[in-house]
Each structure stands twice: as structure tokens, then as C-alpha cells.
Amino acid sequence: MNVHSLTMHELRSLLVRKEVSAVEMVTSFLERIDSLDAALNTYITVLADSALENARSFDNGVGDIDASPLAAVPLAIKDVICTKGVRTTCGSRMLNNFKPPYDGTVIERLRSAGAIFLGKTNMDEFAMGSSTENSAYGPTRNPWDTDRVPGGSSGGSAAAVAADLCSGSLGTDTGGSIRQPASFCGVVGLKPTYGRVSRFGLVAFASSLDQVGPITKDVEDAALLLQVIAGYDQRDTTSVDHPVPDYVSGLREPIRGMRLGIPREYFLEGMHPDVSAAVEKAIRTCRELGAEIIEVSLPHTDFGVSAYYIIAPAEASSNLARYDGVKYGLRVPDAADLMSMYRLSRSEGFGPEVKRRIMLGTYVLSAGYYDAYYRKASQVRTLIRRDFLDAFQQCDALVAPVAPIPAFKLGEKTDDPLQMYLSDVLTLPASLAGIPGISVPCGFSSDNLPIGLQILGPHFREDIVLRVAYQFERAAGCTGRRPGALPR
């Protein structure tokens, strides 16, 4: 039995029945990382010693396995979430040696639930990117085709799950950075409602957009992880004190009679025909499950990319001002004066994409341009949010593609930032509106590349999103397939 190929809930069941030890589980994953990750580059830091130490503690009876929902489950963490005493780089030279003195709230909750951390995963620098090619530690490769990107910015987390280098992972989603890589890598990725999961300990990119969420092998695992990390946190001023339902128990309720909206604006001219075919087939499957399919309109969708790439860089410019070589981050030695030290430290510490977004954000916030750009983008954001609110008056959830194309080749879009930004055109609106969304596998392209179905729900209705995804997953049978080129 290949333990590493099992889902989180399957692993937990084996552990409770004492059919496998925690050390055996962790060792299986570490051996696979050692064997495959040199080619994939999904991890920045591997925590082999501490993972095995924690596994031995479980096997020696430390902790109540029955009471711990994630007892000894081996997880990976995107390297943008603070882990006490463990290097947290954000994929940047700027934080190459940063070891946080505290855990983020999601890490505290996972530790309390019994999870074991295998390591910190690769990512686009400061979560700015759609391909994980912007990492200072080299690009991550897609396990389905190592000449292609895994998506971004949570590409390391998605690729690690797809390649069975962890049982599940945490990513972050600012404009699609969980859903798009999940689609490209053939796994499940859930962006919760903004405010559902604490951002305390998450290194900020765009504070009004960033959300932590699970990337897993199936929908039930996503529900399990969300159950642990969701909930109010008084240390996070953006956290919302809203009841957290039992996500797992609600999965098995049928979707017969539910109204699923198909946003006409999400079926773009020029969309890859394999994506269109896979999503149309998925919609037929939902109809066969008894859901009523209706067409809806989200009329301001076309403005999502423009609004996002004003709002997010503006917030990034503010958030990243702290990395100046004095308060945080890399400091270049032997600078002639203070201004030279600032300039050289930021020039050497940040990569090209981060610099591009800082400059763009600083420009749109500058005197004389704030009203023309940032204020106007914020007004457009309100219109996009109203589009979703109006749509959910007509339906229970929305069903659409995640991305207009399957995974593209490494280097294909790096010289054309606009084309890279457009790869997120179908995920950005939900992020601007703050609603929950999930990517679940729905088919494959003619090149055997995964394609994801995006399911979006009203604010704080992750239970609806998960329920639709789970019922679709069971009917479609696309989840569970793993890259054939990799050893099992």
C-alpha cells in the first residue's frame, strides 16, 4: 500500500485503526519528497527531523488520536504563513533568513488538531504571480508535464498535493492563487470568504484580498481542513465572528432542486475548446444530479482585471514599504549612506515582478492620481460585488471555468505581463467580491492536462460550495487521478 497516495481522511482512518503508524506515514512522504522534489521544486524548506519527531510522539501515545481531527496527518504550508522558528521566505531573497518568533493562527489551529508539517512550499515571490516562476528559489514544475507551470502563486502547494508529496496543504488566494493552481494541477482548492479564516501570521500582499485556504486531494479533505482553520480570531481585525457550520456532515446532502447559475460572461471568446467542453460536460452532470441550471449575468466582469491590478498593487506598495533593510528584510552591507542602503537593499531583495507591482501601486496612490485610479477601482469593486449579490438572488451557487486555458508552458508568458495577468480573468472577480469559491477537477485536455470547475457561493456559504463540489466530484469521478509519468 502506497500510504502517500491516500487522502487525509483515509490516512486518519488507518491511523485510528492502528493499521499504520505515524512514523510510517511521515517516512513515506519524506522518501517521496527526497525522490521526486529535485525535479519538481515544490518545497523551499523540508522539515524532516521535526516531522519524524512529532510522528514518534504520536506513536508513543502523546496526544489523543481519537480527539485530534488531523492526528499525524502530514501537511505542507505555503511559505507565506509564519511558522515559529522555521524559515519563512515568501519566495523572496528579501526574507531568505527570516525565522518568525510566532505561529500564524492557522498554524496554531493545525498544531492543536494534531497535524504534522512536512515543510514550506514554493510560491511566487510575496504571492505575486500566476505561475510560480517568480520565486527566488526557482520555478516549480507541474507534475502532469514538467515543461509546464503549476499555476500560482500557490503553485508549490498544489504541485506537492498532486505529486503526493504531502497529504494536503495550505495556500493563499488573493486573486485566484488557490483555485488556478488547483485547476492546473488536478487537485481541489478552496478560497474561503474573506474574513472566514484568520490572516494573523500571514505575510501581507493585498490586505483586503488575501485569504488562507486548503489545497487537497478531494473535497472531503478540503472540508476537514477548513473545519479546523475557520473561525473568528480577535488578533485579526478583518476576521468576522460568524458561525462555523459542520462542513463535513453537510457534504452528503444531494443537490437536487438547487439552482445553479451559469454566468454568461465567464465563457470568453478564445477560451480553449477543451476547457469549454469539460465545463459544459460538468454542467450537464450537475443537471443530471437534479440541479436546475439557469443563465445569469455578471455585467462588470470585464472590469475585474483592471480593478484588481490597481487595488492589489496599491496595497502591496504599502505593505512592502516595511522591507527597507532596517526594520525587516535583507540589508546590503557597505552602502555609502542611508538612502543608498534603502535603494540597494530593495533592489537586490525584490525580484522583477514585485518591483513592477510596487511601482504600479505607488503610482496609483500618488498625489493627483488617487482619485483617477484607486478610488475609481474601488468603486468598480463595489459594482462587481453587487453583481454577485444580485446573481445569488436568483441561484444558490455559480458554476464556471476556473481558467480560460489549461497549464501553459514555462517561460511562455514571462515576457508579457499582461497575458500573465489575463490568466486570472475568471478568478479575480470573486476575490474582489470576497465570496467563497472552489476548484474541483472536471476533465482533461487533449494533452492530458487537468481542467478545473469553479463553484462560487454567497458570503460565508462555504457549506453550499463544498456540497455542490462533493456531489459533482462523486458523479464525475475526475478526482483521484494522478500524473501518470510519476512513480506511484
mmCIF file of all heavy atoms in Angstrom, residues 217-238:
data_model
loop_
_atom_site.group_PDB
_atom_site.id
_atom_site.type_symbol
_atom_site.label_atom_id
_atom_site.label_comp_id
_atom_site.label_asym_id
_atom_site.label_seq_id
_atom_site.Cartn_x
_atom_site.Cartn_y
_atom_site.Cartn_z
ATOM 1 N N LYS A 217 -6.572 16.608 -1.954
ATOM 2 C CA LYS A 217 -6.785 15.597 -2.994
ATOM 3 C C LYS A 217 -8.256 15.391 -3.329
ATOM 4 O O LYS A 217 -8.577 14.898 -4.409
ATOM 5 C CB LYS A 217 -6.152 14.275 -2.567
ATOM 6 C CG LYS A 217 -4.638 14.356 -2.421
ATOM 7 C CD LYS A 217 -4.040 13.026 -1.990
ATOM 8 C CE LYS A 217 -2.531 13.172 -1.820
ATOM 9 N NZ LYS A 217 -1.872 11.904 -1.424
ATOM 10 N N ASP A 218 -9.136 15.707 -2.394
ATOM 11 C CA ASP A 218 -10.565 15.611 -2.689
ATOM 12 C C ASP A 218 -11.335 16.631 -1.856
ATOM 13 O O ASP A 218 -10.771 17.332 -1.014
ATOM 14 C CB ASP A 218 -11.099 14.179 -2.498
ATOM 15 C CG ASP A 218 -11.117 13.706 -1.050
ATOM 16 O OD1 ASP A 218 -10.792 14.498 -0.137
ATOM 17 O OD2 ASP A 218 -11.467 12.520 -0.825
ATOM 18 N N VAL A 219 -12.633 16.715 -2.103
ATOM 19 C CA VAL A 219 -13.453 17.745 -1.472
ATOM 20 C C VAL A 219 -13.625 17.480 0.022
ATOM 21 O O VAL A 219 -13.635 18.413 0.835
ATOM 22 C CB VAL A 219 -14.818 17.839 -2.173
ATOM 23 C CG1 VAL A 219 -15.731 18.838 -1.455
ATOM 24 C CG2 VAL A 219 -14.642 18.254 -3.638
ATOM 25 N N GLU A 220 -13.745 16.223 0.413
ATOM 26 C CA GLU A 220 -13.897 15.930 1.837
ATOM 27 C C GLU A 220 -12.695 16.416 2.630
ATOM 28 O O GLU A 220 -12.838 16.959 3.734
ATOM 29 C CB GLU A 220 -14.109 14.431 2.057
ATOM 30 C CG GLU A 220 -14.368 14.082 3.516
ATOM 31 C CD GLU A 220 -14.768 12.628 3.743
ATOM 32 O OE1 GLU A 220 -15.080 11.936 2.754
ATOM 33 O OE2 GLU A 220 -14.776 12.196 4.920
ATOM 34 N N ASP A 221 -11.498 16.248 2.075
ATOM 35 C CA ASP A 221 -10.303 16.745 2.750
ATOM 36 C C ASP A 221 -10.324 18.269 2.869
ATOM 37 O O ASP A 221 -9.900 18.833 3.894
ATOM 38 C CB ASP A 221 -9.054 16.317 1.985
ATOM 39 C CG ASP A 221 -8.637 14.884 2.302
ATOM 40 O OD1 ASP A 221 -9.315 14.232 3.112
ATOM 41 O OD2 ASP A 221 -7.627 14.429 1.731
ATOM 42 N N ALA A 222 -10.824 18.947 1.834
ATOM 43 C CA ALA A 222 -10.926 20.406 1.895
ATOM 44 C C ALA A 222 -11.855 20.827 3.027
ATOM 45 O O ALA A 222 -11.584 21.785 3.758
ATOM 46 C CB ALA A 222 -11.417 20.958 0.557
ATOM 47 N N ALA A 223 -12.961 20.090 3.178
ATOM 48 C CA ALA A 223 -13.899 20.385 4.267
ATOM 49 C C ALA A 223 -13.248 20.145 5.628
ATOM 50 O O ALA A 223 -13.440 20.922 6.576
ATOM 51 C CB ALA A 223 -15.156 19.540 4.107
ATOM 52 N N LEU A 224 -12.483 19.058 5.741
ATOM 53 C CA LEU A 224 -11.793 18.752 7.002
ATOM 54 C C LEU A 224 -10.820 19.860 7.388
ATOM 55 O O LEU A 224 -10.783 20.302 8.550
ATOM 56 C CB LEU A 224 -11.032 17.436 6.862
ATOM 57 C CG LEU A 224 -11.826 16.135 6.965
ATOM 58 C CD1 LEU A 224 -10.961 14.960 6.535
ATOM 59 C CD2 LEU A 224 -12.309 15.931 8.403
ATOM 60 N N LEU A 225 -10.017 20.303 6.418
ATOM 61 C CA LEU A 225 -9.040 21.345 6.716
ATOM 62 C C LEU A 225 -9.718 22.666 7.055
ATOM 63 O O LEU A 225 -9.326 23.365 8.004
ATOM 64 C CB LEU A 225 -8.106 21.533 5.517
ATOM 65 C CG LEU A 225 -6.747 20.842 5.565
ATOM 66 C CD1 LEU A 225 -5.911 21.204 4.349
ATOM 67 C CD2 LEU A 225 -5.987 21.207 6.836
ATOM 68 N N LEU A 226 -10.735 23.023 6.274
ATOM 69 C CA LEU A 226 -11.435 24.273 6.550
ATOM 70 C C LEU A 226 -12.068 24.246 7.928
ATOM 71 O O LEU A 226 -12.076 25.265 8.640
ATOM 72 C CB LEU A 226 -12.495 24.539 5.482
ATOM 73 C CG LEU A 226 -13.267 25.852 5.655
ATOM 74 C CD1 LEU A 226 -12.333 27.053 5.554
ATOM 75 C CD2 LEU A 226 -14.393 25.960 4.631
ATOM 76 N N GLN A 227 -12.602 23.096 8.339
ATOM 77 C CA GLN A 227 -13.239 22.983 9.650
ATOM 78 C C GLN A 227 -12.276 23.367 10.766
ATOM 79 O O GLN A 227 -12.668 23.988 11.762
ATOM 80 C CB GLN A 227 -13.721 21.544 9.866
ATOM 81 C CG GLN A 227 -14.698 21.392 11.017
ATOM 82 C CD GLN A 227 -16.072 21.927 10.649
ATOM 83 O OE1 GLN A 227 -16.685 21.474 9.695
ATOM 84 N NE2 GLN A 227 -16.545 22.898 11.404
ATOM 85 N N VAL A 228 -11.010 23.031 10.583
ATOM 86 C CA VAL A 228 -10.005 23.304 11.611
ATOM 87 C C VAL A 228 -9.551 24.764 11.588
ATOM 88 O O VAL A 228 -9.384 25.393 12.641
ATOM 89 C CB VAL A 228 -8.797 22.361 11.427
ATOM 90 C CG1 VAL A 228 -7.637 22.773 12.336
ATOM 91 C CG2 VAL A 228 -9.204 20.914 11.722
ATOM 92 N N ILE A 229 -9.355 25.335 10.403
ATOM 93 C CA ILE A 229 -8.746 26.666 10.343
ATOM 94 C C ILE A 229 -9.763 27.801 10.367
ATOM 95 O O ILE A 229 -9.399 28.959 10.616
ATOM 96 C CB ILE A 229 -7.842 26.812 9.106
ATOM 97 C CG1 ILE A 229 -8.652 26.715 7.805
ATOM 98 C CG2 ILE A 229 -6.724 25.779 9.141
ATOM 99 C CD1 ILE A 229 -7.817 27.001 6.552
ATOM 100 N N ALA A 230 -11.048 27.505 10.122
ATOM 101 C CA ALA A 230 -12.061 28.564 10.070
ATOM 102 C C ALA A 230 -12.414 29.054 11.471
ATOM 103 O O ALA A 230 -12.267 28.333 12.453
ATOM 104 C CB ALA A 230 -13.312 28.056 9.364
ATOM 105 N N GLY A 231 -12.913 30.276 11.539
ATOM 106 C CA GLY A 231 -13.409 30.797 12.810
ATOM 107 C C GLY A 231 -12.782 32.124 13.193
ATOM 108 O O GLY A 231 -11.699 32.504 12.721
ATOM 109 N N TYR A 232 -13.465 32.812 14.057
ATOM 110 C CA TYR A 232 -13.077 34.169 14.464
ATOM 111 C C TYR A 232 -11.759 34.172 15.230
ATOM 112 O O TYR A 232 -11.471 33.262 16.012
ATOM 113 C CB TYR A 232 -14.188 34.771 15.332
ATOM 114 C CG TYR A 232 -13.858 36.124 15.894
ATOM 115 C CD1 TYR A 232 -13.722 37.223 15.051
ATOM 116 C CD2 TYR A 232 -13.677 36.304 17.267
ATOM 117 C CE1 TYR A 232 -13.426 38.485 15.572
ATOM 118 C CE2 TYR A 232 -13.380 37.555 17.790
ATOM 119 C CZ TYR A 232 -13.247 38.644 16.931
ATOM 120 O OH TYR A 232 -12.946 39.875 17.438
ATOM 121 N N ASP A 233 -10.990 35.224 14.994
ATOM 122 C CA ASP A 233 -9.726 35.424 15.698
ATOM 123 C C ASP A 233 -9.619 36.900 16.063
ATOM 124 O O ASP A 233 -9.535 37.764 15.189
ATOM 125 C CB ASP A 233 -8.556 35.013 14.807
ATOM 126 C CG ASP A 233 -7.200 35.252 15.461
ATOM 127 O OD1 ASP A 233 -7.164 35.478 16.693
ATOM 128 O OD2 ASP A 233 -6.185 35.215 14.741
ATOM 129 N N GLN A 234 -9.618 37.215 17.355
ATOM 130 C CA GLN A 234 -9.599 38.615 17.788
ATOM 131 C C GLN A 234 -8.289 39.315 17.440
ATOM 132 O O GLN A 234 -8.212 40.554 17.460
ATOM 133 C CB GLN A 234 -9.855 38.704 19.287
ATOM 134 C CG GLN A 234 -8.791 38.045 20.148
ATOM 135 C CD GLN A 234 -9.110 38.178 21.637
ATOM 136 O OE1 GLN A 234 -10.129 38.746 22.010
ATOM 137 N NE2 GLN A 234 -8.238 37.636 22.480
ATOM 138 N N ARG A 235 -7.249 38.539 17.096
ATOM 139 C CA ARG A 235 -5.979 39.166 16.723
ATOM 140 C C ARG A 235 -5.989 39.683 15.284
ATOM 141 O O ARG A 235 -5.049 40.374 14.874
ATOM 142 C CB ARG A 235 -4.838 38.171 16.915
ATOM 143 C CG ARG A 235 -4.588 37.789 18.358
ATOM 144 C CD ARG A 235 -3.531 36.723 18.506
ATOM 145 N NE ARG A 235 -3.936 35.471 17.880
ATOM 146 C CZ ARG A 235 -3.210 34.356 17.900
ATOM 147 N NH1 ARG A 235 -2.041 34.345 18.510
ATOM 148 N NH2 ARG A 235 -3.652 33.256 17.326
ATOM 149 N N ASP A 236 -7.005 39.297 14.517
ATOM 150 C CA ASP A 236 -7.122 39.726 13.127
ATOM 151 C C ASP A 236 -8.336 40.649 13.005
ATOM 152 O O ASP A 236 -9.474 40.203 13.159
ATOM 153 C CB ASP A 236 -7.271 38.501 12.216
ATOM 154 C CG ASP A 236 -7.557 38.869 10.764
ATOM 155 O OD1 ASP A 236 -7.391 40.040 10.395
ATOM 156 O OD2 ASP A 236 -7.950 37.962 10.000
ATOM 157 N N THR A 237 -8.104 41.922 12.732
ATOM 158 C CA THR A 237 -9.214 42.878 12.671
ATOM 159 C C THR A 237 -10.120 42.648 11.470
ATOM 160 O O THR A 237 -11.228 43.191 11.423
ATOM 161 C CB THR A 237 -8.681 44.324 12.622
ATOM 162 O OG1 THR A 237 -7.805 44.469 11.490
ATOM 163 C CG2 THR A 237 -7.912 44.653 13.887
ATOM 164 N N THR A 238 -9.685 41.854 10.488
ATOM 165 C CA THR A 238 -10.548 41.543 9.345
ATOM 166 C C THR A 238 -11.315 40.241 9.540
ATOM 167 O O THR A 238 -12.135 39.878 8.697
ATOM 168 C CB THR A 238 -9.725 41.442 8.046
ATOM 169 O OG1 THR A 238 -8.824 40.328 8.128
ATOM 170 C CG2 THR A 238 -8.925 42.707 7.810
#
